[in-house]
Amino acid sequence: MSSPARLIAALFLAWLSWLPPAAAQQAPPAADVPTLEAVTVQGEQPGPGLWRATRDGRTLFILGSLAPLPKDMTWKTDEIDAALTHSGALISLPRVRIKPNTGFFGRLALLPFLIGVRNAPDGATLKDTVPPDVYARWLAVKARYIGNDRGVERYRPIFAVLELYKSAVKKAGLGKSGEIVRTVSDLARRHGVKEVPVEYTLLVDDPRAAIRSFKRSTLDDVSCFAQSVDNIDVQLADMTRRANAWATGDIAALRDERSERQRATCMNAVTEGGVAQRIGLADVPKAVRDTWLATVDATMANNAQAVAIVPIDDLLGDNGYLEALRAKGYAVASPDDPD
């Protein structure tokens, strides 16, 4: 599923879903031909191919999404187009929403509480928060990728990591994966295929108290920060390699245990804290997977064939969605299987 930054952002930026709907920005419409600027891979590329899960004569084709991706690439959509032509449904990319158990005006009342939520408690800076040797290394990578931004010095370490990755990815010439998802949605609409949403909503009963507690609390995120600072150049190289692997359909190269280990460190920093535990944030990944599996069962009960989009890092691994499908009796074939 990506770099650690995207996973942490998915959790923390969910707080922004508490804002009134008018504050949301609508994504621009997709072009007929998706183009994404490349680092090394350019031109028309096949993408990773489709996983195939079959049970009781019914087939689910699965596209693994990835971020970031090469920018100057044209994705050859023949395979996904053909799969959608004979499908009755497209199961959307799983989404998480964290929202207050309150109405519209309750959300408005939360806005003042959200101010400063990413800053360290009690006016502390990164220099105060992380060990001196780690901070010295941070200054070096900050100068290289972020530049002279004093504001980030007031951030909690995990939010500083987000800024570091966002700037580094941009400098590396990598882009977002949203165009891929929009392209698949456009193809589904073109073929008259209904889109089935997968959304898990975590309701927070006392959001004001949760935000106040979060602002006062400390996160065990120094380890995540140190790993990210020390590994940023290696991570960028890995992101580039995996982006190119996605584009060219190199499934073996998409399996990345080092990224998984760092992702686990940063995820634990987010989900194992007291505030996160109290609102149930630690349970979200399993809840999302269970929601997706239930959606698959319901969709396949009514369709002989369907297509799904899943972040590729959620798809792979011992605890991934593919293994969960096997446990439910599906026969799963990888795009690089000989047959």
Side-chain angles (χ1 to χ4, degrees):
M1 183 185 162
S2 53
S3 69
R6 189 171 75 82
L7 290 162
I8 303 163
L11 293 169
F12 274 112
L13 294 184
W15 291 76
L16 298 181
S17 69
W18 294 6
L19 297 176
Q25 294 184 355
Q26 190 171 15
D32 288 339
V33 179
T35 57
L36 311 159
E37 184 184 307
V39 180
T40 54
V41 168
Q42 300 184 33
E44 190 175 61
Q45 300 295 334
L50 303 176
W51 277 263
R52 186 174 68 252
T54 57
R55 188 180 70 178
D56 300 330
R58 299 172 184 268
T59 301
L60 176 67
F61 288 99
I62 307 171
L63 173 68
S65 65
L66 181 71
L69 287 173
K71 284 185 178 178
D72 203 11
M73 175 195 78
T74 301
W75 180 36
K76 188 177 181 181
T77 59
D78 294 3
E79 187 176 4
I80 190 76
D81 193 18
L84 285 166
T85 300
H86 303 287
S87 294
L90 168 64
I91 301 175
S92 301
L93 196 73
R95 295 181 57 195
V96 179
R97 296 186 65 197
I98 303 177
K99 56 188 294 187
N101 197 4
T102 182
F104 174 78
F105 292 104
R107 296 183 193 183
L108 283 179
L110 288 174
L111 291 177
F113 291 91
L114 288 169
I115 296 173
V117 72
R118 63 184 173 183
N119 288 350
D122 303 321
T125 65
L126 286 173
K127 187 175 182 179
D128 304 321
T129 308
V130 303
D133 58 327
V134 175
Y135 183 71
R137 298 196 297 274
W138 154 258
L139 289 178
V141 297
K142 177 192 171 188
R144 190 156 68 249
Y145 293 116
I146 298 178
N148 187 25
D149 182 348
R150 296 181 181 178
V152 73
E153 292 293 323
R154 297 194 299 272
Y155 288 2
R156 293 171 180 264
I158 208 158
F159 284 107
V161 165
L162 285 176
E163 288 299 313
L164 176 63
Y165 272 93
K166 184 170 69 175
S167 299
V169 165
K170 185 176 181 180
K171 282 184 176 291
L174 293 165
K176 298 178 180 179
S177 65
E179 191 69 44
I180 299 299
V181 176
R182 285 192 290 268
T183 297
V184 176
S185 294
D186 282 353
L187 290 172
R189 283 192 292 271
R190 194 175 304 166
H191 292 298
V193 176
K194 66 179 179 181
E195 197 158 348
V196 181
V198 181
E199 184 171 279
Y200 174 74
T201 300
L202 175 64
L203 290 175
V204 180
D205 289 329
D206 192 350
R208 290 187 185 88
I211 295 171
R212 278 195 297 263
S213 181
F214 178 79
K215 285 183 177 181
R216 293 194 302 266
S217 69
T218 58
L219 294 174
D220 186 18
D221 55 356
V222 173
S223 178
C224 170
F225 181 84
Q227 279 195 33
S228 300
V229 166
D230 292 341
N231 295 336
I232 183 64
D233 294 319
V234 174
Q235 285 289 315
L236 275 179
D238 283 347
M239 286 182 204
T240 301
R241 175 183 57 78
R242 297 190 80 213
N244 290 334
W246 189 97
T248 59
D250 186 348
I251 303 302
L254 287 170
R255 296 181 171 93
D256 187 347
E257 293 183 359
R258 176 168 48 196
S259 290
E260 178 61 29
R261 287 194 299 270
Q262 182 163 334
R263 180 174 76 166
T265 299
C266 293
M267 284 287 284
N268 288 340
V270 175
T271 60
E272 298 304 318
V275 179
Q277 291 282 2
R278 282 197 296 277
I279 68 173
L281 198 59
D283 302 326
V284 166
K286 181 181 183 301
V288 173
R289 187 178 70 169
D290 290 346
T291 302
W292 184 82
L293 290 170
T295 303
V296 167
D297 282 344
T299 302
M300 300 313 296
N302 299 309
N303 296 280
Q305 181 172 304
V307 173
I309 311 175
V310 177
I312 205 157
D313 287 328
D314 287 341
L315 207 56
L316 304 175
D318 293 340
N319 296 315
Y321 288 27
L322 294 178
E323 286 303 315
L325 286 173
R326 289 189 179 98
K328 292 176 71 67
Y330 284 87
V332 178
S334 170
D336 57 355
D337 282 351
D339 60 349

